[in-house]
Amino acid sequence: HETNCLKMSNLERDAMAELLQRESAHQAEVMTMGACENARAMSERVAINEDECHEAMKFAAEKERALKFALRYREKKRRVQPISPSMANITLIHSAKLRSWGKSKALPSSTLHSVPENMIVERAERGMEEWKSWVDFNRNHFTRTYPSSNARNYNPVLPWAMGCQFVSLNFSSQDDFILLNDGRFRANGNQGYVLKPEYLCDNGLVEDVFNCNHPRKINIRVLSGRCLPKPPANIYSKSGPQRLSVNPIVRITLYDGSPATLLKPPTFSTHVIRDNGLNPVWNEEDLATFECLNPSVGILLFKVYDHCEVTKTDVLIGASAIPVTCMREGFRCVSLYDSNNTRGGAMRFASLFVHVQMV
């Protein structure tokens, strides 16, 4: 009996010890899970605090930049001198829509009309009264013209003949009209502006110009050329096989500043000189004869092409636009420019030799 009691006592003691061990392990597990949760919560809090710290630093940097900007603005404002309103009215250009000439002419002289080129052509086709109204408006106001399409240009001589001060062109399109623009401003050393002709400033001369009362006859004989380079190889890849020399041909076109501007401009072409770009000689018997109805605005465009007999196409070598007012009689040398209005590289010495008569 005593032995059984002793065994029972030992079993109870072992069971109690195992129970206490299990409770201790459970408590340790609960404490571990709690510690993990606390660590996770603290990590999330740290991340939130870091974000808040970055936002605070960013906000402080923005405030610092705003403060510096405010200080610079205050310093600039301190140095700004008062501007007279009357001075501002004559130095600032204000845009207004063209509705009628009566309302437009009553506007301040600092007013500008911005119109597309198709409106210029449409109004020019109405006749002399419309031309006179536009010239009269541009005598004391401003007009800006611009292309109706981003893919092409228009003849700038027409708005120039009507007194428009700002004639906008697409310089991404290398065409004849860009060459005309280059020639117009080359008359003043490419300074960006040229003075208006006298008839655009004197109201009494507009009708004479419109009626073509003072035309000038121009006779041009193309004699020879010099140092005409070959166009770039990438252009030949589009128009035909590349050759060792060029077949130059000259075309002369008159862009008049009269109502005839609305018509197709007259053009004269020489014959083709084969395989000679160094010193081609034309010495044409036929003269390039033009009658310029408005010499004050008219421009002559000289263009030299390389003619390909295989593809029957012409590749531009060089060109030069010369206002009629800049033409001089006698034997003259016409300097040629590339499509970018430059004379560098192979175009440096390219030129035409012509004889000019003006009546």
Side-chain angles (χ1 to χ4, degrees):
H1 180 72
E2 291 178 359
T3 302
N4 292 334
C5 289
L6 182 59
K7 290 181 179 180
M8 182 64 70
S9 176
N10 290 334
L11 291 173
E12 290 177 355
R13 186 176 63 249
D14 293 341
M16 184 62 68
E18 185 178 356
L19 180 62
L20 292 175
Q21 185 179 1
R22 289 181 179 179
E23 290 180 356
S24 297
H26 179 68
Q27 290 180 0
E29 184 178 355
V30 171
M31 292 177 64
T32 301
M33 293 179 63
C36 290
E37 292 293 336
N38 292 336
R40 186 181 297 109
M42 292 181 64
S43 177
E44 293 177 354
R45 184 61 183 170
V46 168
I48 293 174
N49 290 339
E50 288 181 352
D51 292 340
E52 292 179 351
C53 180
H54 289 318
E55 291 294 332
M57 293 176 63
K58 188 185 297 184
F59 182 74
E62 291 178 356
K63 287 293 185 182
E64 184 178 1
R65 287 195 297 269
L67 178 60
K68 290 182 180 179
F69 180 79
L71 292 176
R72 289 197 302 267
Y73 177 76
R74 181 184 298 177
E75 179 63 20
K76 290 181 180 179
K77 190 175 180 180
R78 184 184 64 81
R79 290 182 293 178
V80 170
Q81 300 296 326
I83 299 177
S84 170
S86 57
M87 180 68 175
N89 288 335
I90 64 174
T91 55
L92 296 178
I93 298 177
H94 307 276
S95 180
K97 188 174 182 179
L98 174 59
R99 301 184 185 278
S100 66
W101 289 124
K103 294 181 179 180
S104 295
K105 293 177 182 179
L107 294 172
S109 58
S110 57
T111 303
L112 174 140
H113 285 330
S114 187
V115 297
E117 50 97 4
N118 54 359
M119 180 182 292
I120 289 283
V121 175
E122 177 189 349
R123 288 182 173 267
E125 291 175 345
R126 296 181 183 179
M128 183 180 65
E129 292 302 322
E130 190 67 25
W131 277 61
K132 291 177 62 176
S133 297
W134 208 300
V135 170
D136 189 32
F137 172 80
N138 287 328
R139 190 173 292 113
N140 300 303
H141 301 79
F142 297 96
T143 298
R144 181 182 79 92
T145 63
Y146 57 90
S148 301
S149 171
N150 293 329
R152 66 178 186 85
N153 273 318
Y154 61 101
N155 186 356
V157 177
L158 178 60
W160 285 334
M162 301 174 76
C164 299
Q165 293 86 353
F166 307 103
V167 180
S168 305
L169 297 174
N170 288 320
F171 276 75
S172 58
S173 301
Q174 299 296 333
D175 50 22
D176 290 358
F177 304 130
I178 291 293
L179 298 174
L180 293 177
N181 185 78
D182 296 336
R184 168 63 62 192
F185 293 99
R186 197 179 296 122
N188 195 23
N190 291 326
Q191 296 299 315
Y193 69 93
V194 290
L195 295 178
K196 282 186 176 183
E198 184 180 357
Y199 82 91
L200 293 175
C201 302
D202 188 345
N203 193 30
L205 300 178
V206 177
E207 189 171 347
D208 287 346
V209 172
F210 185 86
N211 292 327
C212 308
N213 293 334
H214 304 285
R216 295 207 68 177
K217 187 176 181 180
I218 306 172
N219 297 323
I220 301 175
R221 184 189 301 274
V222 180
L223 300 176
S224 63
R226 185 169 72 101
C227 299
L228 304 180
K230 292 187 295 183
N234 60 341
I235 299 180
Y236 278 108
S237 62
K238 300 177 182 179
S239 61
Q242 187 173 3
R243 302 182 305 278
L244 297 177
S245 185
V246 295
N247 301 327
I249 179 175
V250 180
R251 292 193 178 98
I252 308 175
T253 305
L254 173 64
Y255 289 87
D256 205 345
S258 67
T261 309
L262 301 172
L263 305 176
K264 184 178 180 180
T267 300
F268 171 83
S269 297
T270 66
H271 65 276
V272 178
I273 301 294
R274 300 185 184 279
D275 298 327
N276 189 355
L278 179 62
N279 55 353
V281 177
W282 285 276
N283 197 18
E284 292 280 334
E285 294 183 1
D286 295 333
L287 296 177
T289 302
F290 302 99
E291 187 173 16
C292 185
L293 303 180
N294 186 2
S296 301
V297 186
I299 299 178
L300 282 167
L301 178 60
F302 295 81
K303 299 183 73 176
V304 182
Y305 291 93
D306 177 19
H307 180 72
C308 180
E309 292 289 348
V310 178
T311 61
K312 303 299 181 182
T313 56
D314 298 327
V315 178
L316 179 67
I317 297 176
S320 182
I322 304 176
V324 174
T325 55
C326 296
M327 294 289 294
R328 298 294 181 266
E329 290 189 285
F331 293 96
R332 299 294 169 180
C333 183
V334 179
S335 300
L336 298 178
Y337 299 79
D338 61 16
S339 59
N340 295 319
N341 189 29
T342 60
R343 274 181 60 80
M347 289 296 300
R348 185 174 181 181
F349 303 103
S351 62
L352 293 175
F353 189 54
V354 300
H355 183 263
V356 180
Q357 288 181 327
M358 304 183 71
V359 181

